[in-house]
Amino acid sequence: MPGQPRHLLRDDDLSPAEQAEVLALAAAMKAAPFEHRPLAGPQTVAMVFDKPTLRTQTSFAAGVAELGGHPMLVDGALAGIGVREPVADVARILGRQASAIAWRTFRQADLEEMAEHAGVPVVNALTDDFHPCQLLADLMTVLEHKPQLAGLTVAFFGDGACNMGSSWLLAGATAGMHVRISAPEGFTPPEEVFVRAREIAAGTGGSATWVADPKEAAAGADVVVTDTWVSMGKEEEAAARTEVFSPYAVTQALFETAKPEAIAMHCLPAYRGKEIAAEVLDGIQSVVWDEAENRRHAQKAVLTWLLSQSAGER
Ligand code: NVA
């Protein structure tokens, strides 16, 4: 019988202490990229994609190679996950070939099912609901510019109902940050996520709030974040979304409402002139390229950590 490996399915799968441990490991791995080889063998990590990818595929592939392992790319459409065979069967198959699985897909419930049956650690490489790998990279990036995460104010603008809004709430609260989601009514994170974030924040000293007015949300923020208004799978709503989210665009004027030393973040891909002005994205206070690089270091750390936590369980 397979044991119960640890997974990263959503941001609150890591406790505050565990999140700090993974972030410290990520920084150590960035400082010495070729010195940690827990996948020597090489062990294989399956990377499964049902949605488009650039950063995730390349950062996982490069990261797994640096860990001494073999990145195995699986095309979700070709495999026909949930179509040719059930998710649970795919999980059992992949778990017999790979030491860990990273999956980008639509439904969080499918990812949970994969984790239940794989017998190896499963990492959320983005679902409709959460993007925890991006958040580890983002928190790592913030820490490269600020002395500590706890107590910082982060303001997220735009589609608060997308995966990044929810992940900022959970991961930010876990880190003890004050997370403001600035989004129009109807596009706020699910109530369940707010409730959970507030529960976590009660123990870390952080907070989780919806601030409808973007200027109010930006005021005094240490970190200004946005994301595309049209997440993968929402392409048909593009025109309507542009209209409803326009007041939440991160313009230079809005960015200047934040602290003078604030940093601008975006998980990319970015649409200059829509959710973020080119002068902010390409400006000196933007850390977006560091975020993209840090995906590799953060994912190496979380894979290493999950495998070490799961060792002996199988
Ligand atoms: N919210 C975006 C994130 C892209 C990395 C999406 O799901 O498309």
Side-chain angles (χ1 to χ4, degrees):
M1 281 290 286
Q4 289 301 315
R6 289 288 301 261
H7 307 289
L8 180 67
L9 306 182
R10 38 188 279 166
D11 306 81
D12 56 347
D13 283 341
L14 296 177
S15 70
E18 291 171 346
Q19 183 194 69
E21 202 182 321
V22 171
L23 292 176
L25 184 56
M29 287 179 158
K30 184 170 184 175
F34 306 108
E35 279 178 22
H36 302 80
R37 297 182 64 80
L39 297 178
Q43 295 183 46
T44 292
V45 174
M47 310 178 308
V48 192
F49 293 97
D50 292 333
K51 287 183 176 182
T53 177
L54 170 65
R55 275 151 297 277
T56 302
Q57 180 183 330
T58 55
S59 58
F60 262 107
V64 168
E66 287 182 5
L67 291 174
H70 168 68
M72 179 171 66
L73 185 60
V74 180
D75 179 333
L78 197 61
I81 304 172
V83 179
R84 275 180 78 231
E85 50 195 326
V87 172
D89 289 2
V90 173
R92 294 180 183 106
I93 301 302
L94 293 179
R96 297 291 180 106
Q97 304 295 350
S99 297
I101 299 165
W103 190 17
R104 166 168 290 190
T105 193
F106 294 84
R107 295 186 313 171
Q108 185 73 16
D110 287 343
L111 186 78
E112 285 164 12
E113 197 176 350
M114 177 79 85
E116 195 182 328
H117 299 281
V120 297
V122 172
V123 175
N124 180 346
L126 181 147
T127 60
D128 291 346
D129 295 359
F130 301 103
H131 196 4
C133 287
Q134 182 69 50
L135 260 291
L136 288 173
D138 286 359
L139 295 181
M140 177 183 178
T141 307
V142 175
L143 269 175
E144 291 175 339
H145 294 271
K146 310 282 173 193
Q148 60 176 43
L149 297 173
L152 293 179
T153 295
V154 55
F156 177 98
F157 296 92
D159 183 9
C162 84
N163 39 26
M164 286 299 294
S166 289
S167 276
W168 265 107
L169 274 183
L170 294 184
T174 302
M177 299 172 87
H178 301 292
V179 186
R180 300 174 182 165
I181 302 292
S182 193
E185 201 152 2
F187 292 94
T188 54
E191 190 54 25
E192 175 267 325
V193 177
F194 257 118
V195 169
R196 180 71 187 122
R198 289 188 178 125
E199 192 179 279
I200 297 167
T204 61
S207 62
T209 48
W210 171 42
V211 184
D213 177 1
K215 277 207 188 98
E216 197 185 314
D222 300 281
V223 181
V224 171
V225 191
T226 188
D227 184 14
T228 178
W229 293 336
V230 187
S231 283
M232 291 178 275
K234 302 282 186 197
E235 291 78 4
E236 282 177 10
E237 299 171 20
R241 284 173 164 261
T242 300
E243 202 176 318
V244 73
F245 291 130
S246 286
Y248 294 86
V250 177
T251 58
Q252 184 66 25
L254 186 71
F255 187 63
E256 283 171 9
T257 313
K259 282 197 182 142
E261 67 277 16
I263 54 174
M265 305 189 81
H266 193 308
C267 61
L268 307 176
Y271 299 89
R272 290 171 176 82
K274 298 254 182 186
E275 77 274 6
I276 190 164
E279 56 192 323
V280 179
L281 187 86
D282 301 316
I284 52 167
Q285 284 165 263
S286 165
V287 296
V288 300
W289 312 117
D290 296 331
E291 289 178 77
E293 177 190 333
N294 287 341
R295 292 289 304 279
R296 180 169 87 257
H297 310 299
Q299 288 156 192
K300 284 173 67 178
V302 81
L303 277 173
T304 301
W305 189 85
L306 291 171
L307 286 163
S308 73
Q309 293 290 311
S310 307
E313 298 275 350
R314 298 183 68 204

